[in-house]
Amino acid sequence: MSYQDMNAKIIDSWIREGWEWGKPIDHSIYEAAQRGIWNVKLTPTKYVPHEWFGELKDKKILGLASGGGQQMPVFAALGAICTVFDYSEEQIKSERIVAQREQYRIEIIRGDMTKRLPFEDEHFDIIFHPVANCYVEEVKPIWKECYRVLKHTGILLAGMDNGINFLFASDEEKEVVNTLPFNPLKNPEQMKQLERENAGVQFSHTLGEQLGGQLEAGFRLTDLYEDTNGSGRLHQMNIPSYIATRAVK
């Protein structure tokens, strides 16, 4: 089994256990979005500024690894033409449930974002990509695919881990025990650590890979903000562990 398939199964199990990022929105949130009252997240705690999106009505949006029925229903309520692409069957299931409940159209595709995306060149106006590439060994190919499928002046909105979380081996977040890069495919001890924590197969990435990779793909970074874990010692100490970026093709 590939690490991508392992991660899909692990995430499916988290969702069945009540994982926060696998709970679809309820009708009241969808209804509020129809009235223009809405917010979405790329990272654990902070809402994405509305001005990062621009006008959403009739815009083609790709939710990349954005399944779960949390963000795409909001965009659909705002009049966007939505496609969601995710490798977790449970996340895909949540998207179908909300779409059927609220009776809007959305293209739902189960697929692996480490492969070539099944979309033609310059197809989307916006890509919305919440924190997910920590489950992928190589991120630069993903940025290149995002660039390919976005229209000219299209917008990439992405959330990403900055690597700090991978320094620790427990929820206490008190003792630095890991070296970076964190790559369990090359470090058996790191793989054992993830197995003990039932954390799937995760990878740290440098800012060179994350921000530099977007620039290398051809994007122009226009804005960013940092965020914390939302809970735990690092959060209490206000230590940022995530970054959200806005980039334009």
Side-chain angles (χ1 to χ4, degrees):
M1 184 184 295
S2 69
Y3 80 81
Q4 298 98 318
D5 289 326
M6 292 170 63
N7 278 336
K9 289 185 178 299
I10 286 286
I11 290 170
D12 285 347
S13 71
W14 294 346
I15 294 166
R16 288 190 290 267
E17 294 167 1
W19 189 44
E20 177 183 0
W21 306 111
K23 296 178 180 178
I25 63 168
D26 61 29
H27 175 68
S28 64
I29 295 176
Y30 180 83
E31 192 176 45
Q34 288 182 307
R35 301 196 308 270
I37 303 168
W38 62 280
N39 276 302
V40 292
K41 296 175 182 176
L42 284 165
T43 54
T45 75
K46 293 185 178 179
Y47 292 120
V48 183
H50 286 195
E51 57 266 27
W52 277 24
F53 293 91
E55 175 59 48
L56 284 171
K57 184 173 174 55
D58 296 327
K59 292 293 178 64
K60 292 183 177 179
I61 297 184
L62 170 62
L64 183 60
S66 184
Q70 296 188 341
Q71 301 101 15
M72 306 311 292
V74 170
F75 301 145
L78 293 166
I81 302 166
C82 297
T83 300
V84 66
F85 186 86
D86 202 292
Y87 205 32
S88 161
E89 291 183 354
E90 290 292 331
Q91 293 286 69
I92 290 295
K93 185 186 300 182
S94 292
E95 290 291 341
R96 290 197 179 99
I97 288 171
V98 180
Q100 290 170 1
R101 185 187 72 208
E102 307 300 346
Q103 299 185 335
Y104 60 81
R105 285 189 173 186
I106 180 172
E107 185 175 13
I108 300 172
I109 301 173
R110 182 176 183 265
D112 179 358
M113 69 177 175
T114 67
K115 314 297 183 185
R116 179 180 172 87
L117 297 177
F119 308 110
E120 62 187 20
D121 294 357
E122 300 190 356
H123 184 70
F124 295 101
D125 298 290
I126 298 172
I127 294 177
F128 191 83
H129 179 47
V131 175
N133 67 23
C134 53
Y135 299 102
V136 170
E137 186 176 18
E138 300 290 339
V139 298
K140 286 187 176 182
I142 295 173
W143 302 138
K144 291 177 181 177
E145 277 296 280
C146 288
Y147 190 87
R148 180 183 67 80
V149 303
L150 273 173
K151 297 177 182 178
H152 178 63
T153 72
I155 300 167
L156 169 65
L157 305 179
M160 60 206 77
D161 190 295
N162 66 12
I164 288 177
N165 285 320
F166 290 96
L167 295 173
F168 306 92
S170 73
D171 291 338
E172 292 183 1
E173 299 172 345
K174 291 183 178 181
E175 183 181 2
V176 173
V177 297
N178 291 319
T179 58
L180 298 181
F182 188 96
N183 186 332
L185 300 185
K186 296 179 179 179
N187 187 319
E189 290 303 314
Q190 291 176 348
M191 182 65 84
K192 290 178 183 177
Q193 175 186 322
L194 291 172
E195 289 172 349
R196 288 193 300 270
E197 298 172 356
N198 191 36
V201 184
Q202 298 193 41
F203 306 86
S204 70
H205 299 293
T206 65
L207 293 182
E209 293 172 281
Q210 300 278 34
L211 306 186
Q214 292 184 34
L215 296 172
E216 184 180 309
F219 286 104
R220 175 172 60 90
L221 284 170
T222 62
D223 205 353
L224 60 81
Y225 60 83
E226 294 179 293
D227 199 2
T228 66
N229 287 329
S231 62
R233 186 165 182 263
L234 295 180
H235 171 72
Q236 293 168 2
M237 298 177 71
N238 199 34
I239 296 175
S241 48
Y242 293 93
I243 303 171
T245 59
R246 181 185 189 274
V248 177
K249 178 175 176 177

